Amino acid sequence: MARNEWINGYLEAILDLGANLKTQNGVDTKMKLEKLQDNVKRDKHFSPTNYFVEEVVNSVDESDLHRTWIKVIATRNTLERSNRLENMCWRIWHLTRKKKQIAVDDAQRLAKRRIEREKGRHEAAEDLSELSEGEKEKDESQPVSKISRINSEMVMWSDESKSRQLYIVLISIHGLVRGENMELGRDSDTGGQVKYVVELARALADMEGVIRVDLLTRQIACPDVDYGYGEPIEMLSSPPEGSGNCGAYIVRIPCGPRDKYVFKESLWPYIPEFVDGALSHIVNMARALGEQFDGGKPMWPYVIHGHYADAGEVAARLSGSLNVPMVLTGHSLGRNKFEQLLKQGRLSKEDINSTYKIMRRIEGEELALDAAEMVVTSTRQEIEEQWGLYDGFDVKLERKLRVRKRRGVSCLGRHMPRMVVIPPGMDFSYVKTEDSIEGDGDLESIIGRDKALNKRAVPPIWTEIMRFFTNPHKPMILALSRPDPKKNVTTLLKAFGECQALRKLANLTLILGNRDDIEDMSSSSSVVLTTVLKLIDRYDLYGQVAYPKHHKQIEVPDIYRLAAKTKGVFINPALVEPFGLTIIEASAYGLPVVATKNGGPVDILKALNNGLLVDPHDQKAIEEALLKLVADKNLWIECRKHGLKNIHCFSWPEHCRSYLSHLEHCRNRHPTTRHKIVPTNEEPMSESLRDVEDLSLRFSIDGDIKANGDVDPATRQKELIETFTKMSTTNRKSNTSYSPGRRQALYIIAVDSYDTNGNPTEMLPVIIKNVMEIAVANPGEIGFILSTGLSLQETKELLNKCQVNVDKFDALVCSSGSELYYPWRDLTVDEDYDNHTEYRWPQENVRSTIMRIARLENEDDDNMVEETKTYNSHCYTYIIKPGAKTRRVDDLRQRLRMYSFRCNTVFTHAANRLNVIPLFASRAQALRYLSIRWGMDLSKMFVFVGEKGDTDYEDLLVGLHKTVILKDSVEYGSEKLLRSVESFKKEDMVPVENTNIVVSNGYEVHDITAALKTLGIN
């Protein structure tokens, strides 16, 4: 009921906070359960409440129940009070039952997924454990006594690398990104990641050998934000004069609604649009940098680095289009958040997915893992406990693959990205030189006997903290965190309160965020602060503990400085600390550290050697560690010196050196083939000269080479004669106006029209003829591409059958994007495209695995058979018998990742056929490849599709290209095998409103013409 809605908030808070509060021993409650029961017995009207108290209260916290009880009892009207209590009772009962059901379902789902993942990884490990023939011979001839370190090949980046000329692309899409006056904390999307990527871009641009760094983000031009976020380019750092470098820039790419600020959960449908815009920028920049630094040869990015899941997917798509190594930094991970939300029990899986688009985010992260050469993490805990949750990564299997690569042994088509720990860099420019010098003159100015004699100004926050202390001369134990139960501040306070020796030697300062009124804070924060005040009262810590209400972000360095001048200690007692940025900040001011042994502090203290690790659950261990550092001045001085000496390990220059060194190591395993761009000012080539261009590109490979590297003239003459002879005998029709790079537009026909048995219908030839008829008035200005799930042989048979000349097409994209042919070159395959997509293609190793994992349980073995007639080296095709059941695409991808295979799977022919193709091959990626190769703007490409199609249909709808959906042209599609019900939705892939998509009234010439006019084509 509407009048009882206020109760729901209290009851949900009870369920959410009860478990945490029960673990806090010693928290006084105003009324115990027995007292509540007595109160109920006094009022015999409320029988539902009796059930509420006796049956439900046991699972939640009594103090919160008491607060809720008091608010209800305050209702004067007896009948209304009775109704409210009854509703409260049933609300708690339903929430408790729902929470238990979610927990059971979650446990079952996790168990099932864990079994499937372990099965896949076990089988992959078994395959890899079998020695290859070469390895057997090696073992027989000379046994290996010791395995060398895996990372021994990596050479650290140094100043000698200044001769390198590197172009680096960083991507961070969401939030408000700018170089100065960052609005950190304005919303959940604009936080630490924004600061991190901006500082990383600046730091990389300052490194020797780096000529330009571009940070790509979303352009936002709406009245709700500053106009600067709509500027296309912002300079982050200018290069030194005479260096020849270009510096670092923020480049803002239009993406999604132009006049609206879109939060990251809603950005997913616009990812392909951002990819296309970023691709255009990178191609133009590669051409410009090549003109400036490399004699006109395009200078492609050294690496493309995606930050967070959304930018990770963008980087994966760009990496596939450009054949450039990709790096990923997760920052925070979807699977980890998903598991935490499920454990809370407040939201079902469906609610979490709809609110946070969590399944779409996880798929973006999995795709990024597929394409990533390297994943940058902050700690080892992130690798093992967070990335270990993903289908595409396993710690043990990744190490086994690295060992095989190190030995030169085949990995049998399997791949996993390299995980490296590179702690975030920090800017220590704000640390003043006097902070590392002994002395407490500033301190004496506020605690000295004659304050009037010392007029030296001190920070206001010092005065604010010192007013709490009876004896401010004592060393300060400093804790700085949010008032969050996970930060474990209450255990620290108990340790301090119960250790008399520690209380005599030191004061305690708790910086727990900012507050005006505890009652106005969130429930979890208010509970922590209330508990802190109660503990201070219990142990009578007045005059020994400071807990200021307010502090500014710019005052944090002053707080560290004050603790250091009192010869104090910094402590981070969190139950789990993913990284531990405050530990590094405190160490920069010379503070020894006591930190949790769970998470990132382990790596930090190993590097700094300036403190002690403790079990955050062990109150006695916390007491002893603090007492040891405070009481032993020699130990305190030693820790301080170690921290100041080693703090450079966490500086930005050190971070960048480690980062570039790991990149260099990873690039040694990445293909070196790069795109060749057709010059934009090239004149149209005649038919008779087409192969001369190709021949000139092959001379350096096919011709006889002299000692000095020149081609032998006789061989060159022979090749020319043979080429012209071949062209003279060619019976192709001449078209002097032809040149793919000079087309005004490209029409891509991608209609997947099949009957219920998977056979092509008569509709496709009709559509081809109708689309071509539109371009008759502009011969040579419009080119045609046929994009299909059919093989080349099947495509040729279909075109011959309907009497469509194959030479009318500029290109044929066959087998779901795994093959690219040029009819104007005698249907020769694009070998560059083959080499481009072959990266991580497992080839024969995946053929038998597909048959095993695609079939559902209890299905007959012959329900899926391999199609050998359409076989090619980059596409394995499987026929699905009528009525047979098979796994959906998302399930197939998940299982392939568990086996460490990186592939694309596409159901085609009205779900009667499955194509397994390389990771970087698809019909959408083929268009991006051609746009680069031919210098054709993607906005000049028009894709014609039906209302449904193959399972890659959605990829053809999105991006900068224009899409015409031909109504009534396709009767049967394959979408039923795309995603399960529990996965993300179509609206997470395709924007609900998209001006680049038009639906025609039919497929006739006048229908198509009208649709093109809507898109601005007359």
Side-chain angles (χ1 to χ4, degrees):
M1 301 178 194
R3 65 188 180 92
N4 292 318
E5 280 302 310
W6 66 274
I7 297 178
N8 295 345
Y10 289 109
L11 301 181
E12 289 187 6
I14 291 171
L15 293 175
D16 186 37
L17 297 175
N20 288 331
L21 291 171
K22 286 173 71 176
T23 62
Q24 299 177 10
N25 298 327
V27 178
D28 292 332
T29 56
K30 297 180 180 178
M31 189 176 291
K32 298 298 182 182
L33 181 60
E34 292 79 7
K35 192 172 181 180
L36 279 174
Q37 290 174 325
D38 291 339
N39 287 342
V40 174
K41 289 177 181 177
R42 288 194 208 99
D43 197 335
K44 298 181 180 179
H45 294 288
F46 306 143
S47 57
T49 309
N50 192 35
Y51 173 83
F52 160 68
V53 173
E54 294 178 355
E55 301 294 332
V56 184
V57 165
N58 295 327
S59 64
V60 291
D61 183 74
E62 302 142 19
S63 60
D64 281 282
L65 278 176
H66 176 259
R67 268 186 290 180
T68 308
W69 179 276
I70 291 299
K71 289 184 179 290
V72 175
I73 291 298
T75 306
R76 295 184 178 182
N77 185 287
T78 305
L79 181 61
E80 184 179 353
R81 183 173 57 188
S82 175
N83 290 338
R84 285 185 173 181
L85 286 170
E86 185 172 357
N87 288 331
M88 183 189 298
C89 159
W90 289 111
R91 175 64 176 161
I92 287 185
W93 184 75
H94 282 298
L95 283 174
T96 305
R97 185 176 66 171
K98 181 181 178 182
K99 187 172 183 178
K100 289 181 179 179
Q101 184 62 48
I102 290 174
V104 171
D105 294 344
D106 180 37
Q108 292 176 345
R109 181 186 62 83
L110 288 176
K112 181 179 178 182
R113 184 171 176 273
R114 191 178 297 112
I115 292 172
E116 292 175 347
R117 188 170 56 190
E118 290 303 319
K119 179 182 177 183
R121 290 172 178 174
H122 178 70
E123 292 186 16
E126 281 188 342
D127 291 344
L128 292 172
S129 64
E130 298 177 4
L131 298 179
S132 65
E133 292 300 322
E135 198 173 9
K136 289 178 182 177
E137 293 173 5
K138 179 179 178 181
D139 288 347
E140 291 172 1
S141 58
Q142 59 177 64
V144 179
S145 58
K146 184 179 180 181
I147 300 177
S148 58
R149 288 178 61 85
I150 293 175
N151 62 349
S152 59
E153 292 179 358
M154 192 179 75
V155 178
M156 287 302 294
W157 195 266
S158 66
D159 290 340
E160 296 177 0
S161 304
K162 65 176 67 176
S163 60
R164 307 291 295 274
Q165 294 179 322
L166 308 183
Y167 170 38
I168 295 175
V169 174
L170 309 177
I171 307 173
S172 182
I173 300 180
H174 64 261
L176 300 170
V177 182
R178 66 183 179 190
E180 302 296 335
N181 300 318
M182 289 178 275
E183 300 182 74
L184 303 182
R186 169 176 171 143
D187 54 59
S188 58
D189 288 2
T190 310
Q193 179 181 326
V194 172
K195 181 180 179 183
Y196 175 89
V197 294
V198 169
E199 291 186 355
L200 175 61
R202 285 192 176 117
L204 284 172
D206 290 338
M207 296 296 292
E208 295 287 353
V210 177
I211 60 170
R212 182 179 172 106
V213 178
D214 280 344
L215 170 56
L216 308 187
T217 189
R218 179 172 175 259
Q219 186 181 36
I220 306 169
C222 71
D224 298 334
V225 301
D226 187 81
Y227 72 92
Y229 298 113
E231 294 294 327
I233 296 179
E234 175 185 344
M235 177 178 281
L236 285 177
S237 65
S238 57
E241 256 184 70
S243 65
N245 293 352
C246 302
Y249 298 84
I250 295 176
V251 179
R252 298 185 176 92
I253 307 293
C255 165
R258 299 293 184 265
D259 58 347
K260 184 180 179 183
Y261 179 51
V262 181
F263 287 96
K264 60 179 179 289
E265 290 81 9
S266 303
L267 271 178
W268 293 106
Y270 308 108
I271 291 291
E273 188 179 341
F274 190 95
V275 172
D276 291 348
L279 188 64
S280 176
H281 167 77
I282 292 173
V283 170
N284 292 334
M285 187 55 59
R287 185 185 287 115
L289 291 175
E291 292 289 340
Q292 183 177 353
F293 294 101
D294 202 13
K297 181 181 178 182
M299 185 175 287
W300 299 110
Y302 186 70
V303 68
I304 297 175
H305 189 161
H307 293 266
Y308 195 77
D310 46 16
E313 180 168 329
V314 172
R317 303 290 187 194
L318 291 173
S319 174
S321 299
L322 297 168
N323 207 19
V324 169
M326 177 216 159
V327 173
L328 171 67
T329 299
H331 291 277
S332 68
L333 302 183
R335 279 204 188 277
N336 187 56
K337 181 172 184 175
F338 187 38
E339 303 301 336
Q340 294 298 324
L341 289 171
L342 283 174
K343 286 178 183 177
Q344 289 179 8
R346 297 181 62 187
L347 297 174
S348 66
K349 183 178 179 181
E350 294 74 20
D351 293 335
I352 295 171
N353 198 14
S354 62
T355 303
Y356 298 102
K357 308 297 182 185
I358 205 77
M359 301 309 294
R360 181 67 182 87
R361 174 178 170 182
I362 290 172
E363 177 57 28
E365 290 164 336
E366 292 280 13
L367 177 61
L369 277 179
D370 288 341
E373 200 68 58
M374 182 175 83
V375 177
V376 177
T377 67
S378 299
T379 64
R380 300 187 189 281
Q381 180 263 352
E382 182 183 343
I383 298 174
E384 296 168 2
E385 298 182 17
Q386 297 187 45
W387 283 116
L389 297 172
Y390 285 77
D391 302 319
F393 181 75
D394 178 72
V395 175
K396 294 179 181 178
L397 195 55
E398 189 269 340
R399 183 166 181 83
K400 184 170 287 191
L401 290 170
R402 274 197 285 147
V403 170
R404 292 179 73 91
K405 288 177 181 177
R406 178 92 173 119
R407 293 178 172 181
V409 180
S410 170
C411 292
L412 307 179
R414 291 172 167 84
H415 170 82
M416 275 193 184
R418 177 74 184 274
M419 295 272 174
V420 298
V421 178
I422 309 178
M426 286 191 62
D427 179 11
F428 297 124
S429 60
Y430 55 81
V431 180
K432 300 177 182 178
T433 54
E434 60 265 25
D435 292 332
S436 60
I437 302 173
E438 298 289 340
D440 55 1
D442 292 342
L443 191 60
E444 289 295 331
S445 67
I446 58 172
I447 65 176
R449 293 181 179 178
D450 193 354
K451 300 179 183 178
L453 296 177
N454 197 327
K455 298 180 180 180
R456 190 170 182 177
V458 296
I461 191 66
W462 287 17
T463 306
E464 174 64 20
I465 292 173
M466 286 301 187
R467 71 182 179 86
F468 284 89
F469 299 135
T470 305
N471 183 2
H473 290 275
K474 292 193 293 186
M476 179 194 298
I477 297 170
L478 173 64
L480 190 153
S481 69
R482 303 187 312 274
D484 190 310
K486 294 180 290 186
K487 297 302 180 181
N488 201 30
V489 178
T490 54
T491 303
L492 167 63
L493 199 50
K494 290 175 189 176
F496 182 78
E498 294 178 10
C499 182
Q500 291 299 323
L502 193 58
R503 292 172 60 173
K504 289 179 181 179
L505 288 174
N507 292 319
L508 176 63
T509 297
L510 303 176
I511 307 296
L512 303 176
N514 291 283
R515 64 186 183 277
D516 290 319
D517 187 343
I518 293 178
E519 292 295 331
D520 295 335
M521 302 181 73
S522 65
S523 55
S524 61
S525 297
S526 65
V527 167
V528 171
L529 285 166
T530 302
T531 306
V532 165
L533 296 177
K534 288 181 179 180
L535 289 172
I536 291 173
D537 188 69
R538 171 189 292 183
Y539 296 115
D540 193 15
L541 297 176
Y542 299 106
Q544 295 176 293
V545 178
Y547 42 95
K549 296 183 68 170
H550 298 283
H551 73 280
K552 299 176 183 177
Q553 186 64 32
I554 59 174
E555 292 178 322
V556 171
D558 292 327
I559 297 173
Y560 290 129
R561 195 174 293 119
L562 175 61
K565 287 187 178 295
T566 63
K567 295 181 172 55
V569 176
F570 180 80
I571 181 168
N572 182 333
L575 299 176
V576 177
E577 182 58 68
F579 179 59
L581 191 61
T582 53
I583 296 175
I584 298 175
E585 291 176 346
S587 300
Y589 289 91
L591 278 170
V593 171
V594 174
T596 176
K597 68 175 186 178
N598 299 330
V602 176
D603 295 323
I604 294 174
L605 264 64
K606 183 178 179 181
L608 295 179
N609 190 25
N610 71 329
L612 303 171
L613 294 171
V614 294
D615 181 350
H617 299 281
D618 190 342
Q619 182 177 319
K620 192 68 176 176
I622 295 174
E623 292 176 20
E624 292 174 353
L626 288 171
L627 192 59
K628 189 174 183 180
L629 283 173
V630 171
D632 190 340
K633 293 304 177 184
N634 291 329
L635 177 61
W636 187 92
I637 292 171
E638 186 180 350
C639 287
R640 173 185 172 87
K641 288 180 178 178
H642 287 162
L644 293 173
K645 178 183 176 182
N646 299 322
I647 195 66
H648 71 87
C649 296
F650 297 94
S651 66
W652 275 118
E654 190 68 23
H655 175 95
C656 292
R657 273 192 289 272
S658 179
Y659 175 81
L660 293 171
S661 301
H662 282 292
L663 279 182
E664 180 68 17
H665 182 53
C666 288
R667 279 182 60 91
N668 292 336
R669 303 194 303 270
H670 197 277
T672 57
T673 56
R674 295 290 181 267
H675 277 294
K676 301 180 182 67
I677 304 176
V678 175
T680 54
N681 59 351
E682 177 187 14
E683 292 301 323
M685 295 181 295
S686 66
E687 179 76 1
S688 61
L689 295 178
R690 288 178 193 163
D691 283 334
V692 174
E693 181 195 36
D694 298 329
L695 181 64
S696 64
L697 296 176
R698 293 198 300 265
F699 277 152
S700 60
I701 301 174
D702 299 334
D704 295 331
I705 308 298
K706 288 185 176 182
N708 63 1
D710 295 331
V711 181
D712 181 67
T715 304
R716 184 181 180 90
Q717 183 180 13
K718 179 181 176 182
E719 294 281 1
L720 281 169
I721 293 172
E722 289 179 355
T723 299
F724 283 116
T725 303
K726 176 183 176 182
M727 289 189 297
S728 64
T729 58
T730 302
N731 57 3
R732 290 178 294 168
K733 181 180 178 181
S734 176
N735 182 0
T736 57
S737 64
Y738 177 79
S739 175
R742 302 290 292 182
R743 298 292 196 193
Q744 298 300 309
L746 284 176
Y747 287 177
I748 298 96
I749 301 168
V751 178
D752 305 316
S753 182
Y754 306 99
D755 60 24
T756 186
N757 296 318
N759 299 314
T761 66
E762 299 295 329
M763 186 65 65
L764 180 58
V766 172
I767 292 172
I768 292 174
K769 292 177 180 178
N770 290 344
V771 171
M772 287 185 170
E773 185 177 334
I774 296 172
V776 171
N778 303 299
E781 292 184 7
I782 297 175
F784 302 97
I785 297 174
L786 180 60
S787 184
T788 176
L790 299 169
S791 66
L792 175 63
Q793 185 60 36
E794 291 172 326
T795 303
K796 289 166 62 177
E797 291 174 359
L798 175 67
L799 294 176
N800 288 335
K801 182 179 179 181
C802 63
Q803 298 180 345
V804 174
N805 188 356
V806 71
D807 287 342
K808 292 185 177 181
F809 291 98
D810 289 348
L812 300 179
V813 180
C814 300
S815 300
S816 301
S818 63
E819 300 172 281
L820 181 58
Y821 299 95
Y822 300 121
W824 49 280
R825 290 184 180 173
D826 293 324
L827 283 175
T828 55
V829 67
D830 187 329
E831 295 181 0
D832 284 342
Y833 184 73
D834 276 1
N835 294 332
H836 190 77
T837 59
E838 192 169 4
Y839 184 50
R840 294 188 185 167
W841 173 230
Q843 299 181 351
E844 294 291 332
N845 299 293
V846 78
R847 293 180 74 174
S848 59
T849 306
I850 284 290
M851 298 285 286
R852 192 163 67 248
I853 67 176
R855 283 192 295 264
L856 292 172
E857 297 176 3
N858 303 322
E859 285 287 311
D860 295 336
D861 292 344
D862 61 348
N863 279 349
M864 177 183 288
V865 295
E866 187 172 1
E867 172 61 75
T868 56
K869 294 180 181 178
T870 59
Y871 166 84
N872 73 73
S873 59
H874 288 84
C875 179
Y876 300 139
T877 301
Y878 302 85
I879 303 297
I880 302 167
K881 290 191 175 180
K885 295 181 179 180
T886 184
R887 298 189 187 279
R888 293 180 174 86
V889 169
D890 59 348
D891 197 4
L892 268 176
R893 272 200 299 252
Q894 181 186 48
R895 291 169 184 273
L896 283 168
R897 286 165 178 155
M898 290 176 180
Y899 283 81
S900 302
F901 289 129
R902 313 293 173 171
C903 311
N904 274 338
T905 54
V906 181
F907 283 98
T908 179
H909 290 64
N912 287 275
R913 185 181 291 186
L914 170 65
N915 286 341
V916 181
I917 59 178
L919 174 67
F920 291 155
S922 72
R923 290 195 284 178
Q925 286 291 81
L927 298 185
R928 293 188 177 111
Y929 172 87
L930 289 174
S931 76
I932 301 170
R933 193 62 183 267
W934 290 347
M936 171 66 71
D937 195 326
L938 280 162
S939 63
K940 297 180 180 179
M941 293 187 176
F942 297 79
V943 180
F944 297 87
V945 298
E947 293 176 288
K948 57 184 72 173
D950 298 347
T951 52
D952 62 351
Y953 172 78
E954 290 175 356
D955 293 335
L956 297 170
L957 299 179
V958 288
L960 287 182
H961 66 259
K962 309 297 191 298
T963 303
V964 178
I965 299 177
L966 304 177
K967 194 174 180 180
D968 300 328
S969 60
V970 176
E971 187 174 356
Y972 303 101
S974 304
E975 64 278 354
K976 64 181 180 181
L977 292 177
L978 179 55
R979 286 186 292 269
S980 62
V981 178
E982 297 180 346
S983 187
F984 52 90
K985 309 301 180 184
K986 181 179 179 180
E987 53 264 29
D988 298 328
M989 291 289 294
V990 182
V992 177
E993 296 181 3
N994 191 340
T995 57
N996 285 340
I997 300 177
V998 172
V999 180
S1000 72
N1001 294 325
Y1003 50 83
E1004 300 296 338
V1005 173
H1006 64 276
D1007 297 320
I1008 300 174
T1009 302
L1012 290 174
K1013 283 184 178 179
T1014 305
L1015 293 172
I1017 301 297
N1018 295 319

